[in-house]
Structure formats: C-alpha cells, structure tokens
C-alpha cells in the first residue's frame, strides 16, 4: 500500500533537513516529477537536483525555518524562509501533488533579499 501524502511529505522534509537529496529522490519523487518555478518548467530527477543546487548557492549556508505546512488529500503546502550571511530567502512556498506514494508535481517560489 502506498504511503500517505503526509508520510511522503514528512519524509521529504526530514531528508532535506538531513541534506540527503539522493535518498529523497529515490524514496519520495516520481522519476517523471514536474517542477515549476518562476524561472523553470522542467521534469525528472535532474530538475529537482538543479533546483536544490540553485537553492544551496543562492543563500549559502542558510538556516531554514518551516513556518507552516498543510496537507489535504494529494496536495501539500510548505511555507518557509531561510537566512544566510549573503541573502535571505523570504516568502518561500512549495506546493506538492503526491500520488501513489510519490511526489509527481512541485512548485517553488521564494524571494531573495540582501542578508
């Protein structure tokens, strides 16, 4: 039986906190995941890798804070922010669609401001 939306969502968050992108991809993301951001419209695990690399570079060494999360059926939402010496990420929001125990769609939005 596939994991619930909450189980996948919590696993994703915990693995990202642990900086284990590889395991997160295998356990939680569909190989055909669609990723939408203001700057990209991509799919697949390489899209998630590129997005994670971009986020690591933009506010380097950032401390992340999860402000709120919501789950309703196959949908999940995370509101977050991050602080670093270079930039802060504010008004961060990720939305997810999770089906059959895998993330099939993710959208990401945040704004960078001087830290």
């Amino acid at each position: 039986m596939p994991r619930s939306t909450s189980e996948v969502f919590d696993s994703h968050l915990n693995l990202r906190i642990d900086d284990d992108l590889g395991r997160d991809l295998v356990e939680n993301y569909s190989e055909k995941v669609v990723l939408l951001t203001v700057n990209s419209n991509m799919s697949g695990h390489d899209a998630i890798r590129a997005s994670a690399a971009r986020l690591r570079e933009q506010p380097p060494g950032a401390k992340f804070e999860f402000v709120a999360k919501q789950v309703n059926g196959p949908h999940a939402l995370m509101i977050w922010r991050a602080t670093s010496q270079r930039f802060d990420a504010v008004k961060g929001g990720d939305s997810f669609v999770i089906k059959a125990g895998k993330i099939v769609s993710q959208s990401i939005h945040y704004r960078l401001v001087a830290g």
Side-chain angles (χ1 to χ4, degrees):
M1 181 165 179
R3 295 174 299 153
S4 70
T5 300
S6 291
E7 289 170 323
V8 173
F9 190 42
D10 288 342
S11 173
H12 162 69
L13 294 178
N14 289 328
L15 289 170
R16 289 300 180 93
I17 289 168
D18 292 343
D19 198 27
D20 195 344
L21 177 61
R23 186 171 165 202
D24 189 24
L25 289 172
V26 170
E27 291 185 10
N28 297 317
Y29 280 90
S30 164
E31 291 182 9
K32 296 179 180 182
V33 61
V34 172
L35 176 66
L36 302 173
T37 74
V38 70
N39 298 314
S40 63
N41 181 346
M42 304 183 297
S43 61
H45 285 183
D46 285 342
I48 302 301
R49 283 186 194 97
S51 176
R54 187 177 316 115
L55 186 57
R56 275 193 306 272
E57 293 168 4
Q58 289 175 335
K63 178 183 175 192
F64 287 83
E65 178 184 355
F66 301 118
V67 177
K69 65 180 192 175
Q70 298 287 338
V71 174
N72 187 325
H75 306 280
L77 171 71
M78 175 179 55
I79 304 299
W80 58 273
R81 60 181 159 240
T83 56
S84 75
Q85 290 183 333
R86 184 174 174 206
F87 292 109
D88 293 341
V90 298
K91 298 183 181 182
D94 290 26
S95 62
F96 303 84
V97 176
I98 299 169
K99 294 183 179 178
K102 298 284 186 172
I103 299 167
V104 297
S105 177
Q106 181 177 2
S107 64
I108 304 169
H109 178 77
Y110 57 94
R111 188 168 62 98
L112 291 176
V113 296

